[in-house]
């Protein structure tokens, strides 16, 4: 089975959720115009889920000498789409909030990012139920962007 392009053209909620996943735990590699997208996690079920949305027939592998699972796919279409939406090669320290992210899909993107590099903590204090969200990023600019977006 080939890549399920219907999720990305035109992009909808699932495409932007997957963009969030890739911006947290993924990678876009480009060499001589060829793209390879990779998705990593310690949670095999999470990697399987992402893989199934993109190409159910592909494999999930365990990285040698690491507690990581990975799904890799060569795709010019997906590589260009991810890159155009801010998921760039070597993104860790230079990641920014995706400029092309339609406001209607903010929640989908953010859910994907949280699923990869975040957590949600419910709290109950004196009868008031509230929660907190924590995210991680090596990019201070991305964290600043998230704060700005949440203020709006």
């Amino acid at each position: 089975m080939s890549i399920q392009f219907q999720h990305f053209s035109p992009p909808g909620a699932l495409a932007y959720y997957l963009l969030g996943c890739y911006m947290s735990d993924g990678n876009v590699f480009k060499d001589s115009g060829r793209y390879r997208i990779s998705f990593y996690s310690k949670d095999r079920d999470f990697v399987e889920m992402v893989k199934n949305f993109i190409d159910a027939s592909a494999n999930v592998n365990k990285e040698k000498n690491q507690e990581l699972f990975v799904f890799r796919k060569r795709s010019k279409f997906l590589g260009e789409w991810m890159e155009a939406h801010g998921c760039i090669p070597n993104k860790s320290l230079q990641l920014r909030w995706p400029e092309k992210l339609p406001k209607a899909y903010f929640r989908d993107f953010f859910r994907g990012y949280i699923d990869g590099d975040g957590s949600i903590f419910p709290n109950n204090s004196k009868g008031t139920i509230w929660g907190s969200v924590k995210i991680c990023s090596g990019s201070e600019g991305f964290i600043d962007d998230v704060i700005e977006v949440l203020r709006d």
Side-chain angles (χ1 to χ4, degrees), residues 10-28:
L14 182 56
Y16 290 107
Y17 170 80
L18 292 170
L19 178 65
C21 292
Y22 269 87
M23 284 189 145
S24 62
D25 283 338
N27 153 313
V28 175

Side-chain angles (χ1 to χ4, degrees), residues 4-75:
Q4 298 180 40
F5 293 110
Q6 76 272 15
H7 300 312
F8 297 91
S9 185
L14 182 56
Y16 290 107
Y17 170 80
L18 292 170
L19 178 65
C21 292
Y22 269 87
M23 284 189 145
S24 62
D25 283 338
N27 153 313
V28 175
F29 179 76
K30 183 178 174 183
D31 183 32
S32 302
R34 294 187 64 190
Y35 287 89
R36 182 184 71 221
I37 60 168
S38 303
F39 184 75
Y40 301 85
S41 179
K42 290 181 179 181
D43 182 346
R44 183 182 186 108
D45 291 337
F46 188 36
V47 177
E48 289 279 353
M49 181 197 71
V50 169
K51 174 207 65 118
N52 287 337
F53 284 131
I54 294 174
D55 184 352
S57 67
N59 294 320
V60 169
N61 299 304
K62 187 172 183 300
E63 288 286 84
K64 293 178 183 177
N65 303 318
Q66 295 185 38
E67 293 300 315
L68 282 176
F69 296 94
V70 62
F71 156 66
R72 292 185 179 94
K73 188 72 183 174
R74 288 201 177 276
S75 170

